Amino acid sequence: MELTSTYWNNRYAEGNTGWDLKEVSPPIKAYLDQLENKELKILIPGGGYSYEAQYCWEQGFKNVYVVDFSQLALENLKQRVPGFPSEQLIQEDFFTYDGQFDVIIEQTFFCALQPDLRPDYVAHMHALLKPEGKLVGLLFNFPLTEKGPPYGGSTTAYESLFSKHFDIQKIETAYNSIAARADKELFIKMVKK
Ligand SMILES: C[S@@+](CC[C@H](N)C(=O)[O-])C[C@H]1O[C@@H](n2cnc3c(N)ncnc32)[C@H](O)[C@@H]1O
């Protein structure tokens, strides 16, 4: 099965969106709440309905961008938050998108990709960050199998995958996950090398 834009768009069309929390993910909310600089340029790739982007916007982070190749996902966000600038809702493949950001938020995007794309994901995240830019968010910590999405992984595997391009400041079981994800997600904070 190829995880194309059509595949994802169809899942939104069918309402087959088990990943959708319908609210900002609590560990990401906690991270955003302690940021003081509202000028930070923030990217949320594979953002989907992106309650995280909505939360950023409503908290005064106006330089927040979402990249997702599903039109339906972006339309939903635009309808919920009409003031969100259309030019900051980008319908494009993450791997061809170009830009420079202070912070990139990871929330069920990495796990949605075919695992063989993981080295490209890491390299492209690195390219999208400004010097000392940060990749922050959540990665699942259940075993990686052929069955997915979502595709899992482990702390050890993530450390070896990311350490070439990032200083890993934090990779630890999130203490504030929603109940259904308790102990299943790792909070990460990585700084571009
Ligand atoms: C599992 S969903 C997660 C959505 C959102 N992060 C959330 O937590 O609700 C994965 C999202 O990634 C998007 N996506 C997958 N591969 C992509 C790619 N190569 N470029 C852009 N978006 C992609 C899909 O369209 C989908 O919206």
Side-chain angles (χ1 to χ4, degrees):
M1 174 184 46
E2 257 207 281
L3 302 176
T4 59
S5 56
T6 306
Y7 166 87
W8 288 105
N9 221 32
N10 286 342
R11 289 199 56 167
Y12 285 108
E14 292 158 5
N16 185 6
T17 53
W19 59 81
D20 178 21
L21 298 187
K22 301 188 170 65
E23 62 175 355
V24 58
S25 175
I28 292 174
K29 176 181 182 298
Y31 175 75
L32 294 169
D33 285 347
Q34 52 82 53
L35 292 177
E36 287 172 3
N37 180 2
K38 303 279 183 187
E39 301 303 313
L40 289 171
K41 198 170 169 199
I42 300 175
L43 175 66
I44 307 183
Y49 288 163
S50 208
Y51 290 87
E52 289 68 34
Q54 176 173 2
Y55 187 73
C56 285
W57 181 256
E58 289 170 351
Q59 295 307 304
F61 293 99
K62 299 302 183 193
N63 286 321
V64 59
Y65 292 69
V66 178
V67 170
D68 199 296
F69 60 16
S70 162
Q71 185 191 350
L72 288 177
L74 296 178
E75 277 173 6
N76 180 293
L77 176 55
K78 184 68 186 167
Q79 270 170 20
R80 293 195 334 265
V81 193
F84 202 105
S86 299
E87 62 275 17
Q88 289 170 219
L89 293 175
I90 297 149
Q91 192 190 342
E92 189 175 328
D93 189 327
F94 164 76
F95 292 99
T96 59
Y97 176 68
D98 205 7
Q100 283 284 280
F101 294 88
D102 297 297
V103 176
I104 305 183
I105 300 290
E106 165 54 53
Q107 158 78 1
T108 62
F109 173 51
F110 177 88
C111 70
L113 299 170
Q114 302 278 10
D116 61 354
L117 290 174
R118 289 181 174 186
D120 292 348
Y121 167 103
V122 175
H124 199 52
M125 285 293 186
H126 181 267
L128 287 168
L129 285 165
K130 295 181 189 174
E132 294 178 48
K134 296 184 184 72
L135 173 62
V136 177
L138 297 158
L139 298 176
F140 281 126
N141 64 350
F142 52 75
L144 174 62
T145 65
E146 286 178 8
K147 200 170 162 293
Y151 295 102
S154 64
T155 299
T156 323
Y158 297 145
E159 280 172 349
S160 88
L161 183 66
F162 283 92
S163 56
K164 184 174 160 207
H165 286 305
F166 288 90
D167 282 321
I168 301 176
Q169 290 194 337
K170 210 175 260 189
I171 178 161
E172 60 193 28
T173 305
Y175 66 88
N176 45 2
S177 300
I178 60 158
R181 294 186 188 167
D183 297 325
K184 294 197 192 88
E185 49 186 14
L186 301 164
F187 183 78
I188 57 158
K189 185 172 169 196
M190 306 188 182
V191 181
K192 173 178 170 133
K193 271 187 181 170

